Every structure is written in C-alpha cells, then in structure tokens.
Amino acid sequence: MSRSIRSRYLCFALSLALVAGPATNGSAAESSPEPGIGIASPEDVGVDSTALVRMSEWIRKDRLDVRSLLVIKDGKLIFERYSHGLDRDYNYELYSVTKTVTALNVGILADQGKIGIEDEVAPWILKQRPEFGAAARDKAGIRLRHLMSMSSGLLYRQVEGSDPLYFQAPDRVSVALSAKPRIPPATEFEYTDANPVLVGIAIQAASGEPEHEFAEARLFRPLGMRNARWTGRDGTGSVSGGWGLRLRAIDMAKIGMLMLQDGEWEGRRIVSKAWIRQMTAASETAMDYGLYTWINHVVESEPEFGAMGFKGQFITVLPKQNAVVVMTGILPTDGGLRTATYLNLYRRMVNDFVLPAMHAVPKPAFDEARRKALKRELELAAQTRGEPGTGLAFNDGPER
C-alpha cells in the first residue's frame, strides 16, 4: 500500500472512529468493522460523498428519527451514520426484517435436504405439535412456498393494540392456527403475520431446535455477528419467524452482503445461490415480493431487493452497484405496505441521494475538503436526537 493511499485510508477510518463512540475507543485501527467488511472513503470506490452529506443534513435538519444509516459498496463500509450517542454496538428491533432471516434459515435447511419449499406445512406442524391435528386439518394443501410468498389464503383477524399473536402469546402456534382459509393458496397476495409463525414451527420441526438457536449456529456465528437477540418468546419458548429479531446495523449489512454475494461469506458457502435466486424472484401473486423478500420495492430504475420492517427498518441490496444500504429508525407509519410514509422517506434517501452518489460522472476524487465535510456532518448527526415519527413501543429502544 502506498503512503498516499494509506494516509487516505487512515484519515477516513479516524473520521469513523470519532463518531462511532465507545465501541471503537477512538482508534483508527479499531474502527474497522468485523471480518468480511472492509473500509474506505466514498471517493475510493467512486462514490460522491457530497450527496451523502446532503442526505444526512436533510435527515438531521428535519429531525427524522434515523438511528443508523450505513452504505457498503464493493465490500467496504463507506458511510456509517448514527444519531444521538448511538454507535456500532447497539442493536435494534427489526420487525419484519426478521422474515427475511427466516427465509434464509429455511434455505439452509433446504440445502441440507431437511425441508422443501413445496412441502405442505401441516405435517411439519404436527411433527412438532401433534396435539394440533384438528386445527391443522383445514391447512392441507398450504405449502411453505405459499406461506413465504404471503399467498397462503389464510385470514387472520388482527386485534389492534393487544393482538395475542405478538408478544403476549402463551402459545403463538395455537393463535396462528386459528387463521382460516379464505381463498385457495397461490390466489392472492395477502400479508399476514400468521404465515411466518407457521414457517417458524416448521423450521423447529425440521432442525430439531428452536429457530433462534438454529439461526445463531448456522447464520449469526458464521457471519461474525454480535449482540444478536431474538426476543418475544412465547410461553412454549418459541420465537416468531416474523418479528422480534434484534441486530446491530452492521450485522444487518452482513445479511444484505450475504444475499448480494449469492449466499457466500468470506469464501464459505452459507446458503446456496439457487436459494438466494428463489428468494429474490417474483412470486405468483406479487411482482414485488418473493420469499419474505421485497423486490424493486424501494428502487425502480435498476435491480433491487431486500427486507423491510415496520417504522423504518431496511436492508436494501443494489446488485448493479455491488452495494448494500441499511437503515434503522422510528419514522411515521401512516399508509400501507407500499405507501407507508417511512417507506417513502427511505425511498427518497436511496433514490435521491445514495444512487446519485454512486452514479456520479466523472467519478469524484478524494480531497481534504470532502473528508472534512463528511467528518463534520457525521459528528453533527451523532449529536442530534431525531423526533420519533410514531409512538414508541416497549421494544423500540436501542440496546447494547
């Protein structure tokens, strides 16, 4: 490495260390992410940092409650923004981003020959919970593929504010099995949280262990994750396949990179390329949804896929750019799955700032002025508390 390149690398690493807080102890060397992710300035990989600075200024001045915002390109962390005293070691409630992790768990089991996407779910439920024979009888014909593409045809009537499917459930599978077939499977896209509960119990039956333990051994540890917690266990000790997972933003980025890299991590095969392609292919009932994965839901101008969680949790993969964008936050929740304010705000971040930064022509050159501007803006962001866009739940606080 030449002296000039080394100087540029250390300058940018130091700027990250200054905003990363206690986890890095202010050391340039210690500011590097975990194995599997490098570090660079935006300009080192052809990205215009001025557009990223403008994005951060907008978020800060509008006091949007964006807790973390990361951009990885060419395997390198080029932008790492945290708000009001947060740092890399905090984890966040991911809400429905959890579903995408559940899809990866199914893929790992499918690669091992222990489960199949075309398997009917009822036999898996009864293998784990034989007492539910009567409740599972009307689920005949519903396959894992239907549950994971949100086309099971099951109708679950959610109780606003105190739904027993969520954190108060003594036995979540019992509640999910109360959902009744409304239409035949593969007829219509209908997003319901009963579906991933049933997938989760199938994972447990096929693997012989609870989903959170399977994920820890087969996914989280191989990717070098830390502070991962899967909360919300019910009275039987089971987690939900659809929500409750807490990850650091940098570990969310690893999930995105794993998918970007067709299931490989540092030369190790975690899940098959064929499974990643299946997850990210449009389903029978929705062109923008695969297997617990959104497709061109954020970006329309080029290929994109990823995960979305309530209130503003995102993993976005941009294959053409060889890039991943991650955000956590508490943004306004008005609107639906495709029109929510939190989604539209994030769409603006990616389409109006991140992609233009990557499309910059001519490619920007690194200079001291850009470095200082980025460093200063990240420092200001670290001192700014955003205003939550909706009411805070008990699980919305960042945790170390």
Side-chain angles (χ1 to χ4, degrees):
M1 182 184 291
S2 72
R3 180 178 299 176
S4 63
I5 293 175
R6 186 182 297 111
S7 175
R8 288 159 57 187
Y9 177 96
L10 290 176
C11 282
F12 185 71
L14 181 58
S15 75
L16 288 177
L18 288 171
V19 300
T24 61
N25 298 318
S27 161
E30 290 177 334
S31 73
S32 297
E34 293 80 4
I37 303 179
I39 193 167
S41 76
E43 281 74 18
D44 283 339
V45 291
V47 175
D48 182 5
S49 63
T50 60
L52 302 179
V53 169
R54 288 197 303 271
M55 173 178 65
S56 182
E57 289 174 341
W58 159 54
I59 293 169
R60 176 169 53 82
K61 291 174 181 177
D62 280 16
R63 302 190 70 82
L64 300 178
D65 192 3
V66 173
R67 277 100 185 266
S68 65
L69 182 57
L70 278 57
V71 181
I72 289 93
K73 180 167 170 60
D74 298 339
K76 298 177 176 65
L77 179 65
I78 63 169
F79 183 80
E80 185 176 28
R81 180 192 194 275
Y82 300 103
S83 68
H84 195 68
L86 299 175
D87 60 48
R88 192 181 294 153
D89 274 347
Y90 280 91
N91 66 28
Y92 307 88
E93 165 66 53
L94 302 190
Y95 289 97
S96 287
V97 170
T98 304
K99 294 179 175 69
T100 308
V101 174
T102 286
L104 290 169
N105 288 336
V106 173
I108 294 168
L109 283 168
D111 291 341
Q112 296 171 349
K114 294 182 178 179
I115 205 167
I117 192 66
E118 297 299 335
D119 290 356
E120 292 193 10
V121 71
W124 285 115
I125 295 170
L126 297 180
K127 179 180 179 181
Q128 186 67 30
R129 302 292 300 276
E131 69 270 25
F132 287 126
R137 192 170 296 123
D138 62 0
K139 312 303 185 290
I142 298 177
R143 303 179 186 276
L144 285 173
R145 170 171 55 85
H146 302 139
L147 295 166
M148 296 176 68
S149 61
M150 294 296 183
S151 62
S152 67
L154 294 175
L155 174 64
Y156 179 75
R157 299 188 183 280
Q158 186 170 327
V159 179
E160 290 298 329
S162 60
D163 195 286
L165 189 65
Y166 295 101
F167 289 94
Q168 299 81 20
D171 188 341
R172 193 173 287 117
V173 173
S174 175
V175 179
L177 284 172
S178 71
K180 300 298 181 184
R182 182 179 66 87
I183 52 178
T187 302
E188 184 179 303
F189 176 85
E190 186 169 14
Y191 197 96
T192 173
D193 279 338
N195 289 338
V197 172
L198 301 180
V199 174
I201 202 67
I203 290 171
Q204 186 169 350
S207 68
E209 56 189 326
E211 184 178 3
H212 62 282
E213 293 181 6
F214 179 84
E216 175 68 27
R218 304 303 196 285
L219 189 60
F220 301 163
R221 281 205 296 268
L223 268 61
M225 295 184 178
R226 292 189 289 112
N227 296 355
R229 292 178 54 237
W230 206 318
T231 64
R233 299 181 199 179
D234 67 8
T236 74
S238 297
V239 297
S240 163
W243 60 91
L245 180 59
R246 301 185 68 95
L247 294 180
R248 300 179 303 154
I250 198 75
D251 291 330
M252 294 169 68
K254 292 175 185 178
I255 295 294
M257 291 174 67
L258 178 71
M259 297 177 73
L260 177 65
Q261 294 161 183
D262 290 326
E264 284 195 1
W265 185 257
E266 294 194 290
R268 176 181 175 183
R269 173 64 61 188
I270 303 298
V271 65
S272 67
K273 178 178 180 178
W275 183 259
I276 298 296
R277 295 297 169 88
Q278 194 164 10
M279 281 179 64
T280 58
S283 65
E284 297 172 279
T285 56
M287 291 300 295
D288 61 353
Y289 203 75
L291 300 179
Y292 292 154
T293 304
W294 289 98
I295 304 164
N296 284 111
H297 191 56
V298 175
V299 174
E300 295 182 354
S301 59
E302 64 184 69
E304 173 266 314
F305 57 83
M308 177 178 72
F310 191 48
K311 301 183 182 182
Q313 329 310 318
F314 291 94
I315 302 172
T316 296
V317 180
L318 300 165
K320 187 176 178 181
Q321 306 303 325
N322 196 29
V324 173
V325 184
V326 164
M327 190 190 86
T328 65
I330 304 294
L331 301 179
T333 59
D334 52 302
L337 275 173
R338 296 177 173 91
T339 61
T341 296
Y342 63 80
L343 173 57
N344 287 329
L345 287 168
Y346 181 70
R347 283 170 173 157
R348 182 181 173 189
M349 294 174 203
V350 176
N351 290 284
D352 293 359
F353 296 98
V354 175
L355 281 175
M358 293 180 179
H359 293 159
V361 177
K363 292 302 181 184
F366 178 89
D367 59 43
E368 186 67 9
R370 288 175 185 270
R371 186 193 71 80
K372 286 183 177 179
L374 177 59
K375 175 178 177 290
R376 178 56 179 159
E377 176 53 35
L378 292 178
E379 288 173 341
L380 291 172
Q383 298 164 14
T384 303
R385 184 193 296 273
E387 296 292 336
T390 188
L392 293 175
F394 73 93
N395 55 323
D396 281 333
E399 297 178 359
R400 287 181 69 94

